[in-house]
Amino acid sequence: MSDREPTPEQWRAIRAEGSVAVRAGAGSGKTTVLAHHFLYLLRPRPEGPPLIDEVGRILAITFTEKAAAEMKQKIHTLLAVELGRATGTERRHWERVRRELLAARVSTIHAFCARLLRENPLEAGIDPRATILDEHESQAYVEAAVEEELVARVRRGDPAGRELVQRHGLRRGRQGGAVGVCVRLLASLGRTGRDGVWLAAAMEHQEALAPVATAALREAAERIAARLRSALGAARDTPTVARLRAAWPPYEAMLEEIGRGGAAAPVLETGRLEDLCRLLGAARLTGTVRDDLAYDGPRLRGVLAEEYGFLAALAPARRLTELLVALGAALRERKRVDGVLAFDDLIAEARALLADHPAVGARCARELRAILVDEFQDTDAVQAEVIERLASPGVPLFVVGDEKQSIYGFRGADVTVFRRAWERLGGALPLGRNFRSQPAILDFVNGLAAGTMRVPATSPHPGRWTVLATSRSCSAPSTR
Ligand SMILES: Nc1ncnc2c1ncn2[C@@H]1O[C@H](COP(=O)(O)OP(=O)(O)O)[C@@H](O)[C@H]1O
Ligand SMILES: [Mg+2]
């Protein structure tokens, strides 16, 4: 990189003052720009001292050890270039920077939070003898605790526990069975800064929508029955139409029953609806009811399918919610008894520390002059709050990221956090060129991203319905 000059748009980002968000694709030089900016802040200026006089006043964080190592490496590489060029006082300045870099706050957000808790033991209220588990140890610990509690519940006849274990196995398969399901749900709940109370409220909110969904379901069933009756009356008798006509009476009865409100949602068999859709497709009558019922590939769509899926999910979701609240409480108690802090507890505790003790945040704000965040798209809501609390009183925030690249969707990273941040920062500076990949790969990534960014609609398949709201809003619990 040493012989590669930043492009003009990279320079604009590097020399930006105040808070900035750089949003660009993979390989466009974001980490490079962040490393340049780090040194830019420390560079002696012709008109006076550097913008920041000590390395320790810059906090540079990211989310994985690998990304933190890369960030550190890039800063060191650029610093070596400065040292190679400089003479006299300037050289002595960069030598001091190099010494200070050894103790710099360039790390993962977990390491930073651990340090913050260590530096404020009284306010953090954390047992100094607590064992802090790393990411893998935490995973194993939480899985073991959840498994033990789940097994105990199944033995006692807990219906939600039984249902989940019957469906997924205890720890079967790549997804880790019922234990894996619960661990992931608990983790995403934690990473969005939510708790059992929020979950219970979210569930109640969903249940309150049931009457509206029931009415919509009935109306859709009535519409489908009426439209198909008249379409069958008008259609020419081709072999496929004849087949549909022959098969129609039981479907009509089913739809009428739903229309009368006779069929409770769980009685409805999605397989039969899929069969009906196939018959309609063959008879070229799909268009007649498309908005209310359609089948494309693995999913049923349309009002009937959506409302049915929602209603059928309510009862299992309620049971699963209650199970999760209980498992979460058992896990917390076990950690307390064992004197253990799990990996993500570091973030949650740091957030609580900053929220409950403004003096700690004020002290950080006095010490820090800039916060730089790489891979910002991987921030979850709790991490974002920690960063925001540190940045709030006048410490500029320089964030770089690419929402399309978020690898942590599955663990609660919230791309809306990124979008909100850069909207607040007044729009993002683009880095258009790509130095790493060929255009074909870029097209692919863009296409992929278009799919991954979509907020999933309510799934018509109850088993895949998620209890947790997608990240549309932090305050209003809603999956609809
Ligand atoms: N102005 C530039 N000219 C040439 N290569 C560059 C330039 N900026 C960055 N690079 C190179 O492009 C590659 C990707 O940069 P990196 O900062 O890791 O991108 P990102 O963080 O956006 O994925 C690196 O090898 C980097 O050295
Ligand atoms: Mg990078």
Side-chain angles (χ1 to χ4, degrees), residues 295-319:
Y295 180 61
D296 58 2
R299 278 170 73 100
L300 280 166
R301 297 190 189 280
V303 178
L304 187 84
E306 292 274 320
E307 301 302 345
Y308 161 71
F310 174 73
L311 288 167
L314 284 178
R318 153 68 62 186
R319 291 193 291 275

mmCIF file with all atom_site columns, all heavy atoms in Angstrom, residues 295-319:
data_model
loop_
_atom_site.group_PDB
_atom_site.id
_atom_site.type_symbol
_atom_site.label_atom_id
_atom_site.label_alt_id
_atom_site.label_comp_id
_atom_site.label_asym_id
_atom_site.label_entity_id
_atom_site.label_seq_id
_atom_site.pdbx_PDB_ins_code
_atom_site.Cartn_x
_atom_site.Cartn_y
_atom_site.Cartn_z
_atom_site.occupancy
_atom_site.B_iso_or_equiv
_atom_site.pdbx_formal_charge
_atom_site.auth_seq_id
_atom_site.auth_comp_id
_atom_site.auth_asym_id
_atom_site.auth_atom_id
_atom_site.pdbx_PDB_model_num
ATOM 1   N N   . TYR A 1 295 ? -48.683 -19.590 -5.111 1.00 0.00 ? 295 TYR A N   1
ATOM 2   C CA  . TYR A 1 295 ? -47.629 -20.489 -4.638 1.00 0.00 ? 295 TYR A CA  1
ATOM 3   C C   . TYR A 1 295 ? -46.441 -20.321 -5.549 1.00 0.00 ? 295 TYR A C   1
ATOM 4   O O   . TYR A 1 295 ? -46.504 -20.615 -6.735 1.00 0.00 ? 295 TYR A O   1
ATOM 5   C CB  . TYR A 1 295 ? -48.142 -21.936 -4.692 1.00 0.00 ? 295 TYR A CB  1
ATOM 6   C CG  . TYR A 1 295 ? -47.138 -22.955 -4.220 1.00 0.00 ? 295 TYR A CG  1
ATOM 7   C CD1 . TYR A 1 295 ? -46.663 -22.909 -2.909 1.00 0.00 ? 295 TYR A CD1 1
ATOM 8   C CD2 . TYR A 1 295 ? -46.677 -23.955 -5.058 1.00 0.00 ? 295 TYR A CD2 1
ATOM 9   C CE1 . TYR A 1 295 ? -45.739 -23.843 -2.452 1.00 0.00 ? 295 TYR A CE1 1
ATOM 10  C CE2 . TYR A 1 295 ? -45.763 -24.903 -4.613 1.00 0.00 ? 295 TYR A CE2 1
ATOM 11  C CZ  . TYR A 1 295 ? -45.298 -24.834 -3.309 1.00 0.00 ? 295 TYR A CZ  1
ATOM 12  O OH  . TYR A 1 295 ? -44.391 -25.754 -2.861 1.00 0.00 ? 295 TYR A OH  1
ATOM 13  N N   . ASP A 1 296 ? -45.357 -19.773 -5.012 1.00 0.00 ? 296 ASP A N   1
ATOM 14  C CA  . ASP A 1 296 ? -44.166 -19.708 -5.857 1.00 0.00 ? 296 ASP A CA  1
ATOM 15  C C   . ASP A 1 296 ? -43.029 -20.415 -5.134 1.00 0.00 ? 296 ASP A C   1
ATOM 16  O O   . ASP A 1 296 ? -42.560 -19.982 -4.095 1.00 0.00 ? 296 ASP A O   1
ATOM 17  C CB  . ASP A 1 296 ? -43.819 -18.264 -6.254 1.00 0.00 ? 296 ASP A CB  1
ATOM 18  C CG  . ASP A 1 296 ? -43.580 -17.365 -5.056 1.00 0.00 ? 296 ASP A CG  1
ATOM 19  O OD1 . ASP A 1 296 ? -43.650 -17.879 -3.924 1.00 0.00 ? 296 ASP A OD1 1
ATOM 20  O OD2 . ASP A 1 296 ? -43.336 -16.171 -5.253 1.00 0.00 ? 296 ASP A OD2 1
ATOM 21  N N   . GLY A 1 297 ? -42.654 -21.553 -5.694 1.00 0.00 ? 297 GLY A N   1
ATOM 22  C CA  . GLY A 1 297 ? -41.567 -22.322 -5.102 1.00 0.00 ? 297 GLY A CA  1
ATOM 23  C C   . GLY A 1 297 ? -41.958 -22.805 -3.716 1.00 0.00 ? 297 GLY A C   1
ATOM 24  O O   . GLY A 1 297 ? -43.038 -23.361 -3.559 1.00 0.00 ? 297 GLY A O   1
ATOM 25  N N   . PRO A 1 298 ? -41.141 -22.533 -2.711 1.00 0.00 ? 298 PRO A N   1
ATOM 26  C CA  . PRO A 1 298 ? -41.444 -23.153 -1.429 1.00 0.00 ? 298 PRO A CA  1
ATOM 27  C C   . PRO A 1 298 ? -42.489 -22.397 -0.622 1.00 0.00 ? 298 PRO A C   1
ATOM 28  O O   . PRO A 1 298 ? -42.909 -22.873 0.416  1.00 0.00 ? 298 PRO A O   1
ATOM 29  C CB  . PRO A 1 298 ? -40.095 -23.101 -0.703 1.00 0.00 ? 298 PRO A CB  1
ATOM 30  C CG  . PRO A 1 298 ? -39.409 -21.903 -1.264 1.00 0.00 ? 298 PRO A CG  1
ATOM 31  C CD  . PRO A 1 298 ? -39.913 -21.739 -2.666 1.00 0.00 ? 298 PRO A CD  1
ATOM 32  N N   . ARG A 1 299 ? -42.893 -21.234 -1.083 1.00 0.00 ? 299 ARG A N   1
ATOM 33  C CA  . ARG A 1 299 ? -43.743 -20.417 -0.219 1.00 0.00 ? 299 ARG A CA  1
ATOM 34  C C   . ARG A 1 299 ? -45.124 -20.172 -0.794 1.00 0.00 ? 299 ARG A C   1
ATOM 35  O O   . ARG A 1 299 ? -45.270 -19.904 -1.977 1.00 0.00 ? 299 ARG A O   1
ATOM 36  C CB  . ARG A 1 299 ? -43.089 -19.050 0.015  1.00 0.00 ? 299 ARG A CB  1
ATOM 37  C CG  . ARG A 1 299 ? -42.047 -19.076 1.095  1.00 0.00 ? 299 ARG A CG  1
ATOM 38  C CD  . ARG A 1 299 ? -41.296 -17.765 1.079  1.00 0.00 ? 299 ARG A CD  1
ATOM 39  N NE  . ARG A 1 299 ? -42.101 -16.678 1.612  1.00 0.00 ? 299 ARG A NE  1
ATOM 40  C CZ  . ARG A 1 299 ? -41.976 -16.220 2.857  1.00 0.00 ? 299 ARG A CZ  1
ATOM 41  N NH1 . ARG A 1 299 ? -41.104 -16.743 3.669  1.00 0.00 ? 299 ARG A NH1 1
ATOM 42  N NH2 . ARG A 1 299 ? -42.712 -15.227 3.289  1.00 0.00 ? 299 ARG A NH2 1
ATOM 43  N N   . LEU A 1 300 ? -46.103 -20.252 0.097  1.00 0.00 ? 300 LEU A N   1
ATOM 44  C CA  . LEU A 1 300 ? -47.433 -19.778 -0.263 1.00 0.00 ? 300 LEU A CA  1
ATOM 45  C C   . LEU A 1 300 ? -47.459 -18.284 -0.018 1.00 0.00 ? 300 LEU A C   1
ATOM 46  O O   . LEU A 1 300 ? -46.885 -17.803 0.945  1.00 0.00 ? 300 LEU A O   1
ATOM 47  C CB  . LEU A 1 300 ? -48.478 -20.442 0.632  1.00 0.00 ? 300 LEU A CB  1
ATOM 48  C CG  . LEU A 1 300 ? -48.889 -21.857 0.254  1.00 0.00 ? 300 LEU A CG  1
ATOM 49  C CD1 . LEU A 1 300 ? -49.640 -22.487 1.410  1.00 0.00 ? 300 LEU A CD1 1
ATOM 50  C CD2 . LEU A 1 300 ? -49.755 -21.848 -1.003 1.00 0.00 ? 300 LEU A CD2 1
ATOM 51  N N   . ARG A 1 301 ? -48.113 -17.557 -0.907 1.00 0.00 ? 301 ARG A N   1
ATOM 52  C CA  . ARG A 1 301 ? -48.205 -16.108 -0.705 1.00 0.00 ? 301 ARG A CA  1
ATOM 53  C C   . ARG A 1 301 ? -49.653 -15.665 -0.829 1.00 0.00 ? 301 ARG A C   1
ATOM 54  O O   . ARG A 1 301 ? -50.535 -16.444 -1.137 1.00 0.00 ? 301 ARG A O   1
ATOM 55  C CB  . ARG A 1 301 ? -47.369 -15.371 -1.754 1.00 0.00 ? 301 ARG A CB  1
ATOM 56  C CG  . ARG A 1 301 ? -45.901 -15.693 -1.653 1.00 0.00 ? 301 ARG A CG  1
ATOM 57  C CD  . ARG A 1 301 ? -45.071 -14.761 -2.535 1.00 0.00 ? 301 ARG A CD  1
ATOM 58  N NE  . ARG A 1 301 ? -43.715 -15.217 -2.597 1.00 0.00 ? 301 ARG A NE  1
ATOM 59  C CZ  . ARG A 1 301 ? -42.806 -15.011 -1.657 1.00 0.00 ? 301 ARG A CZ  1
ATOM 60  N NH1 . ARG A 1 301 ? -43.124 -14.333 -0.564 1.00 0.00 ? 301 ARG A NH1 1
ATOM 61  N NH2 . ARG A 1 301 ? -41.584 -15.478 -1.766 1.00 0.00 ? 301 ARG A NH2 1
ATOM 62  N N   . GLY A 1 302 ? -49.852 -14.386 -0.641 1.00 0.00 ? 302 GLY A N   1
ATOM 63  C CA  . GLY A 1 302 ? -51.196 -13.838 -0.755 1.00 0.00 ? 302 GLY A CA  1
ATOM 64  C C   . GLY A 1 302 ? -51.836 -13.667 0.621  1.00 0.00 ? 302 GLY A C   1
ATOM 65  O O   . GLY A 1 302 ? -51.344 -14.189 1.623  1.00 0.00 ? 302 GLY A O   1
ATOM 66  N N   . VAL A 1 303 ? -52.947 -12.934 0.629  1.00 0.00 ? 303 VAL A N   1
ATOM 67  C CA  . VAL A 1 303 ? -53.582 -12.571 1.897  1.00 0.00 ? 303 VAL A CA  1
ATOM 68  C C   . VAL A 1 303 ? -53.947 -13.817 2.707  1.00 0.00 ? 303 VAL A C   1
ATOM 69  O O   . VAL A 1 303 ? -53.670 -13.910 3.907  1.00 0.00 ? 303 VAL A O   1
ATOM 70  C CB  . VAL A 1 303 ? -54.845 -11.710 1.637  1.00 0.00 ? 303 VAL A CB  1
ATOM 71  C CG1 . VAL A 1 303 ? -55.539 -11.367 2.947  1.00 0.00 ? 303 VAL A CG1 1
ATOM 72  C CG2 . VAL A 1 303 ? -54.477 -10.445 0.867  1.00 0.00 ? 303 VAL A CG2 1
ATOM 73  N N   . LEU A 1 304 ? -54.558 -14.805 2.047  1.00 0.00 ? 304 LEU A N   1
ATOM 74  C CA  . LEU A 1 304 ? -54.991 -15.999 2.777  1.00 0.00 ? 304 LEU A CA  1
ATOM 75  C C   . LEU A 1 304 ? -53.808 -16.676 3.467  1.00 0.00 ? 304 LEU A C   1
ATOM 76  O O   . LEU A 1 304 ? -53.865 -17.004 4.654  1.00 0.00 ? 304 LEU A O   1
ATOM 77  C CB  . LEU A 1 304 ? -55.662 -16.987 1.814  1.00 0.00 ? 304 LEU A CB  1
ATOM 78  C CG  . LEU A 1 304 ? -56.302 -18.199 2.510  1.00 0.00 ? 304 LEU A CG  1
ATOM 79  C CD1 . LEU A 1 304 ? -57.701 -17.858 3.006  1.00 0.00 ? 304 LEU A CD1 1
ATOM 80  C CD2 . LEU A 1 304 ? -56.378 -19.396 1.569  1.00 0.00 ? 304 LEU A CD2 1
ATOM 81  N N   . ALA A 1 305 ? -52.721 -16.860 2.709  1.00 0.00 ? 305 ALA A N   1
ATOM 82  C CA  . ALA A 1 305 ? -51.553 -17.549 3.258  1.00 0.00 ? 305 ALA A CA  1
ATOM 83  C C   . ALA A 1 305 ? -50.897 -16.742 4.376  1.00 0.00 ? 305 ALA A C   1
ATOM 84  O O   . ALA A 1 305 ? -50.522 -17.280 5.417  1.00 0.00 ? 305 ALA A O   1
ATOM 85  C CB  . ALA A 1 305 ? -50.553 -17.817 2.137  1.00 0.00 ? 305 ALA A CB  1
ATOM 86  N N   . GLU A 1 306 ? -50.793 -15.433 4.156  1.00 0.00 ? 306 GLU A N   1
ATOM 87  C CA  . GLU A 1 306 ? -50.142 -14.585 5.154  1.00 0.00 ? 306 GLU A CA  1
ATOM 88  C C   . GLU A 1 306 ? -50.924 -14.578 6.463  1.00 0.00 ? 306 GLU A C   1
ATOM 89  O O   . GLU A 1 306 ? -50.353 -14.731 7.542  1.00 0.00 ? 306 GLU A O   1
ATOM 90  C CB  . GLU A 1 306 ? -50.035 -13.141 4.634  1.00 0.00 ? 306 GLU A CB  1
ATOM 91  C CG  . GLU A 1 306 ? -49.082 -12.976 3.473  1.00 0.00 ? 306 GLU A CG  1
ATOM 92  C CD  . GLU A 1 306 ? -47.647 -12.767 3.947  1.00 0.00 ? 306 GLU A CD  1
ATOM 93  O OE1 . GLU A 1 306 ? -47.464 -12.047 4.944  1.00 0.00 ? 306 GLU A OE1 1
ATOM 94  O OE2 . GLU A 1 306 ? -46.740 -13.330 3.317  1.00 0.00 ? 306 GLU A OE2 1
ATOM 95  N N   . GLU A 1 307 ? -52.215 -14.372 6.344  1.00 0.00 ? 307 GLU A N   1
ATOM 96  C CA  . GLU A 1 307 ? -53.028 -14.290 7.562  1.00 0.00 ? 307 GLU A CA  1
ATOM 97  C C   . GLU A 1 307 ? -53.101 -15.649 8.262  1.00 0.00 ? 307 GLU A C   1
ATOM 98  O O   . GLU A 1 307 ? -53.042 -15.736 9.468  1.00 0.00 ? 307 GLU A O   1
ATOM 99  C CB  . GLU A 1 307 ? -54.444 -13.768 7.253  1.00 0.00 ? 307 GLU A CB  1
ATOM 100 C CG  . GLU A 1 307 ? -54.487 -12.397 6.600  1.00 0.00 ? 307 GLU A CG  1
ATOM 101 C CD  . GLU A 1 307 ? -53.799 -11.299 7.422  1.00 0.00 ? 307 GLU A CD  1
ATOM 102 O OE1 . GLU A 1 307 ? -53.521 -11.516 8.621  1.00 0.00 ? 307 GLU A OE1 1
ATOM 103 O OE2 . GLU A 1 307 ? -53.518 -10.240 6.845  1.00 0.00 ? 307 GLU A OE2 1
ATOM 104 N N   . TYR A 1 308 ? -53.211 -16.690 7.447  1.00 0.00 ? 308 TYR A N   1
ATOM 105 C CA  . TYR A 1 308 ? -53.219 -18.028 8.039  1.00 0.00 ? 308 TYR A CA  1
ATOM 106 C C   . TYR A 1 308 ? -51.911 -18.280 8.793  1.00 0.00 ? 308 TYR A C   1
ATOM 107 O O   . TYR A 1 308 ? -51.900 -18.738 9.926  1.00 0.00 ? 308 TYR A O   1
ATOM 108 C CB  . TYR A 1 308 ? -53.412 -19.102 6.973  1.00 0.00 ? 308 TYR A CB  1
ATOM 109 C CG  . TYR A 1 308 ? -52.976 -20.447 7.488  1.00 0.00 ? 308 TYR A CG  1
ATOM 110 C CD1 . TYR A 1 308 ? -53.738 -21.093 8.462  1.00 0.00 ? 308 TYR A CD1 1
ATOM 111 C CD2 . TYR A 1 308 ? -51.782 -21.025 7.068  1.00 0.00 ? 308 TYR A CD2 1
ATOM 112 C CE1 . TYR A 1 308 ? -53.310 -22.283 8.997  1.00 0.00 ? 308 TYR A CE1 1
ATOM 113 C CE2 . TYR A 1 308 ? -51.347 -22.206 7.605  1.00 0.00 ? 308 TYR A CE2 1
ATOM 114 C CZ  . TYR A 1 308 ? -52.114 -22.842 8.565  1.00 0.00 ? 308 TYR A CZ  1
ATOM 115 O OH  . TYR A 1 308 ? -51.687 -24.006 9.103  1.00 0.00 ? 308 TYR A OH  1
ATOM 116 N N   . GLY A 1 309 ? -50.797 -17.967 8.132  1.00 0.00 ? 309 GLY A N   1
ATOM 117 C CA  . GLY A 1 309 ? -49.478 -18.184 8.738  1.00 0.00 ? 309 GLY A CA  1
ATOM 118 C C   . GLY A 1 309 ? -49.352 -17.434 10.049 1.00 0.00 ? 309 GLY A C   1
ATOM 119 O O   . GLY A 1 309 ? -48.869 -17.960 11.053 1.00 0.00 ? 309 GLY A O   1
ATOM 120 N N   . PHE A 1 310 ? -49.828 -16.213 10.038 1.00 0.00 ? 310 PHE A N   1
ATOM 121 C CA  . PHE A 1 310 ? -49.748 -15.395 11.244 1.00 0.00 ? 310 PHE A CA  1
ATOM 122 C C   . PHE A 1 310 ? -50.570 -16.007 12.373 1.00 0.00 ? 310 PHE A C   1
ATOM 123 O O   . PHE A 1 310 ? -50.091 -16.190 13.494 1.00 0.00 ? 310 PHE A O   1
ATOM 124 C CB  . PHE A 1 310 ? -50.237 -13.981 10.911 1.00 0.00 ? 310 PHE A CB  1
ATOM 125 C CG  . PHE A 1 310 ? -50.319 -13.098 12.108 1.00 0.00 ? 310 PHE A CG  1
ATOM 126 C CD1 . PHE A 1 310 ? -49.164 -12.613 12.695 1.00 0.00 ? 310 PHE A CD1 1
ATOM 127 C CD2 . PHE A 1 310 ? -51.541 -12.755 12.655 1.00 0.00 ? 310 PHE A CD2 1
ATOM 128 C CE1 . PHE A 1 310 ? -49.225 -11.803 13.824 1.00 0.00 ? 310 PHE A CE1 1
ATOM 129 C CE2 . PHE A 1 310 ? -51.617 -11.952 13.773 1.00 0.00 ? 310 PHE A CE2 1
ATOM 130 C CZ  . PHE A 1 310 ? -50.464 -11.477 14.360 1.00 0.00 ? 310 PHE A CZ  1
ATOM 131 N N   . LEU A 1 311 ? -51.821 -16.366 12.055 1.00 0.00 ? 311 LEU A N   1
ATOM 132 C CA  . LEU A 1 311 ? -52.710 -16.888 13.106 1.00 0.00 ? 311 LEU A CA  1
ATOM 133 C C   . LEU A 1 311 ? -52.211 -18.236 13.633 1.00 0.00 ? 311 LEU A C   1
ATOM 134 O O   . LEU A 1 311 ? -52.236 -18.500 14.834 1.00 0.00 ? 311 LEU A O   1
ATOM 135 C CB  . LEU A 1 311 ? -54.140 -17.030 12.563 1.00 0.00 ? 311 LEU A CB  1
ATOM 136 C CG  . LEU A 1 311 ? -54.859 -15.696 12.347 1.00 0.00 ? 311 LEU A CG  1
ATOM 137 C CD1 . LEU A 1 311 ? -56.114 -15.900 11.517 1.00 0.00 ? 311 LEU A CD1 1
ATOM 138 C CD2 . LEU A 1 311 ? -55.192 -15.036 13.680 1.00 0.00 ? 311 LEU A CD2 1
ATOM 139 N N   . ALA A 1 312 ? -51.749 -19.083 12.698 1.00 0.00 ? 312 ALA A N   1
ATOM 140 C CA  . ALA A 1 312 ? -51.283 -20.408 13.119 1.00 0.00 ? 312 ALA A CA  1
ATOM 141 C C   . ALA A 1 312 ? -50.031 -20.304 13.988 1.00 0.00 ? 312 ALA A C   1
ATOM 142 O O   . ALA A 1 312 ? -49.758 -21.169 14.804 1.00 0.00 ? 312 ALA A O   1
ATOM 143 C CB  . ALA A 1 312 ? -51.003 -21.267 11.883 1.00 0.00 ? 312 ALA A CB  1
ATOM 144 N N   . ALA A 1 313 ? -49.280 -19.222 13.795 1.00 0.00 ? 313 ALA A N   1
ATOM 145 C CA  . ALA A 1 313 ? -48.032 -19.073 14.547 1.00 0.00 ? 313 ALA A CA  1
ATOM 146 C C   . ALA A 1 313 ? -48.255 -18.571 15.964 1.00 0.00 ? 313 ALA A C   1
ATOM 147 O O   . ALA A 1 313 ? -47.390 -18.735 16.821 1.00 0.00 ? 313 ALA A O   1
ATOM 148 C CB  . ALA A 1 313 ? -47.101 -18.109 13.804 1.00 0.00 ? 313 ALA A CB  1
ATOM 149 N N   . LEU A 1 314 ? -49.391 -17.945 16.209 1.00 0.00 ? 314 LEU A N   1
ATOM 150 C CA  . LEU A 1 314 ? -49.561 -17.272 17.498 1.00 0.00 ? 314 LEU A CA  1
ATOM 151 C C   . LEU A 1 314 ? -49.403 -18.209 18.701 1.00 0.00 ? 314 LEU A C   1
ATOM 152 O O   . LEU A 1 314 ? -48.650 -17.905 19.627 1.00 0.00 ? 314 LEU A O   1
ATOM 153 C CB  . LEU A 1 314 ? -50.926 -16.584 17.560 1.00 0.00 ? 314 LEU A CB  1
ATOM 154 C CG  . LEU A 1 314 ? -51.031 -15.273 16.771 1.00 0.00 ? 314 LEU A CG  1
ATOM 155 C CD1 . LEU A 1 314 ? -52.448 -14.716 16.887 1.00 0.00 ? 314 LEU A CD1 1
ATOM 156 C CD2 . LEU A 1 314 ? -50.028 -14.235 17.258 1.00 0.00 ? 314 LEU A CD2 1
ATOM 157 N N   . ALA A 1 315 ? -50.097 -19.338 18.652 1.00 0.00 ? 315 ALA A N   1
ATOM 158 C CA  . ALA A 1 315 ? -50.056 -20.206 19.832 1.00 0.00 ? 315 ALA A CA  1
ATOM 159 C C   . ALA A 1 315 ? -48.659 -20.791 20.067 1.00 0.00 ? 315 ALA A C   1
ATOM 160 O O   . ALA A 1 315 ? -48.120 -20.677 21.174 1.00 0.00 ? 315 ALA A O   1
ATOM 161 C CB  . ALA A 1 315 ? -51.118 -21.302 19.706 1.00 0.00 ? 315 ALA A CB  1
ATOM 162 N N   . PRO A 1 316 ? -48.028 -21.395 19.033 1.00 0.00 ? 316 PRO A N   1
ATOM 163 C CA  . PRO A 1 316 ? -46.662 -21.876 19.282 1.00 0.00 ? 316 PRO A CA  1
ATOM 164 C C   . PRO A 1 316 ? -45.703 -20.759 19.667 1.00 0.00 ? 316 PRO A C   1
ATOM 165 O O   . PRO A 1 316 ? -44.813 -20.963 20.495 1.00 0.00 ? 316 PRO A O   1
ATOM 166 C CB  . PRO A 1 316 ? -46.243 -22.519 17.955 1.00 0.00 ? 316 PRO A CB  1
ATOM 167 C CG  . PRO A 1 316 ? -47.344 -22.331 17.001 1.00 0.00 ? 316 PRO A CG  1
ATOM 168 C CD  . PRO A 1 316 ? -48.533 -21.794 17.719 1.00 0.00 ? 316 PRO A CD  1
ATOM 169 N N   . ALA A 1 317 ? -45.921 -19.578 19.091 1.00 0.00 ? 317 ALA A N   1
ATOM 170 C CA  . ALA A 1 317 ? -45.026 -18.464 19.427 1.00 0.00 ? 317 ALA A CA  1
ATOM 171 C C   . ALA A 1 317 ? -45.190 -18.062 20.889 1.00 0.00 ? 317 ALA A C   1
ATOM 172 O O   . ALA A 1 317 ? -44.221 -17.764 21.579 1.00 0.00 ? 317 ALA A O   1
ATOM 173 C CB  . ALA A 1 317 ? -45.302 -17.277 18.518 1.00 0.00 ? 317 ALA A CB  1
ATOM 174 N N   . ARG A 1 318 ? -46.419 -18.063 21.349 1.00 0.00 ? 318 ARG A N   1
ATOM 175 C CA  . ARG A 1 318 ? -46.681 -17.737 22.758 1.00 0.00 ? 318 ARG A CA  1
ATOM 176 C C   . ARG A 1 318 ? -45.950 -18.735 23.669 1.00 0.00 ? 318 ARG A C   1
ATOM 177 O O   . ARG A 1 318 ? -45.274 -18.362 24.615 1.00 0.00 ? 318 ARG A O   1
ATOM 178 C CB  . ARG A 1 318 ? -48.201 -17.721 22.988 1.00 0.00 ? 318 ARG A CB  1
ATOM 179 C CG  . ARG A 1 318 ? -48.689 -18.033 24.343 1.00 0.00 ? 318 ARG A CG  1
ATOM 180 C CD  . ARG A 1 318 ? -48.357 -17.002 25.383 1.00 0.00 ? 318 ARG A CD  1
ATOM 181 N NE  . ARG A 1 318 ? -48.932 -15.692 25.148 1.00 0.00 ? 318 ARG A NE  1
ATOM 182 C CZ  . ARG A 1 318 ? -48.646 -14.620 25.904 1.00 0.00 ? 318 ARG A CZ  1
ATOM 183 N NH1 . ARG A 1 318 ? -47.787 -14.713 26.906 1.00 0.00 ? 318 ARG A NH1 1
ATOM 184 N NH2 . ARG A 1 318 ? -49.199 -13.462 25.650 1.00 0.00 ? 318 ARG A NH2 1
ATOM 185 N N   . ARG A 1 319 ? -46.067 -20.031 23.321 1.00 0.00 ? 319 ARG A N   1
ATOM 186 C CA  . ARG A 1 319 ? -45.409 -21.043 24.160 1.00 0.00 ? 319 ARG A CA  1
ATOM 187 C C   . ARG A 1 319 ? -43.892 -20.870 24.114 1.00 0.00 ? 319 ARG A C   1
ATOM 188 O O   . ARG A 1 319 ? -43.212 -20.947 25.133 1.00 0.00 ? 319 ARG A O   1
ATOM 189 C CB  . ARG A 1 319 ? -45.799 -22.450 23.692 1.00 0.00 ? 319 ARG A CB  1
ATOM 190 C CG  . ARG A 1 319 ? -47.269 -22.787 23.976 1.00 0.00 ? 319 ARG A CG  1
ATOM 191 C CD  . ARG A 1 319 ? -47.546 -24.267 23.791 1.00 0.00 ? 319 ARG A CD  1
ATOM 192 N NE  . ARG A 1 319 ? -47.475 -24.701 22.395 1.00 0.00 ? 319 ARG A NE  1
ATOM 193 C CZ  . ARG A 1 319 ? -48.484 -24.627 21.530 1.00 0.00 ? 319 ARG A CZ  1
ATOM 194 N NH1 . ARG A 1 319 ? -49.646 -24.133 21.928 1.00 0.00 ? 319 ARG A NH1 1
ATOM 195 N NH2 . ARG A 1 319 ? -48.344 -25.046 20.293 1.00 0.00 ? 319 ARG A NH2 1
#
